[in-house]
Amino acid sequence: MNSLRWLLCFSWSALLILPQAVADETQEALEFELPKAYYGGTVASYWSPHLDTRIYVDRKPLLAPKGTAVVSLNKPVTSSGQPLHGELSWLNDGNKEFGKSTLLELPEGKQWVQIDLENTYAIYAVLLWHFHEGGRVYFDVIGQISDDPEFKTGVTTIYNNDYDDSLGLGKGTDKEYIENSDGRLFIPEDVSGRYVRFYSRGNTDHDFNNYVELEVWGKKK
């Protein structure tokens, strides 16, 4: 009787564990390549109830379906304004280091950058680096994904810290954050699209809009 009870318990446990084991075999941890940290300068003297005051946060491994990879590298880039410094192609050339040689600067006010992935992908992670030579806070950061290059239909917002609707795209509840070499990781949930766009409106250092790299991880649908 005891042997039968043990066997039934073991069989039931195996059934509970099996689906998770199968799911794990279809996924793998994404390996992000991060640039060197910049230790000079001082963090911006800025405080807001909407600010995440942490600078570096330990990230747990992010699991995604096997075959998920960077799908944004060297894809076509457009923007709302002409660059004041740098080239649009610098946004997704793979160079995430700090310094003027990687800086893409757009004019002041509401601006956006956009990558055409050239195919529709299931998107599992997005990493954004603004200029991170010093601890700046960038304002009204909004990230969106769509199959419409004009972002008029089928738009999914994956991040919005525009708490007072300055950009006219709706109030956001996400936190402002202090920029650093880790970039900011966004994890979309069940989102697919061809175009990835990020807005901003200046920072704590000046009114211009600075970008270094936008990296999109996905898998073709």
Side-chain angles (χ1 to χ4, degrees), residues 43-85:
V43 176
S45 178
Y46 171 79
W47 184 86
S48 162
H50 308 283
L51 177 65
D52 181 353
T53 57
R54 298 172 298 174
I55 298 179
Y56 291 97
V57 180
D58 289 335
R59 289 177 181 159
K60 297 179 181 179
L62 177 58
L63 296 178
K66 287 186 176 180
T68 300
V70 177
V71 295
S72 53
L73 188 65
N74 297 321
K75 297 291 178 67
V77 178
T78 53
S79 68
S80 54
Q82 290 297 317
L84 303 176
H85 181 275

Side-chain angles (χ1 to χ4, degrees), residues 113-165:
V113 290
Q114 178 174 310
I115 296 178
D116 176 2
L117 303 176
E118 299 184 312
N119 284 289
T120 296
Y121 291 89
I123 297 175
Y124 298 100
V126 178
L127 263 172
L128 173 66
W129 286 264
H130 290 108
F131 190 64
H132 53 91
E133 188 179 280
R136 301 177 184 179
V137 176
Y138 288 80
F139 301 129
D140 303 333
V141 176
I142 299 177
Q144 296 182 330
I145 297 171
S146 179
D147 275 324
D148 175 14
E150 301 298 324
F151 279 76
K152 293 180 179 178
T153 62
V155 177
T156 299
T157 298
I158 62 171
Y159 190 84
N160 184 349
N161 68 14
D162 182 7
Y163 60 86
D164 57 359
D165 196 19

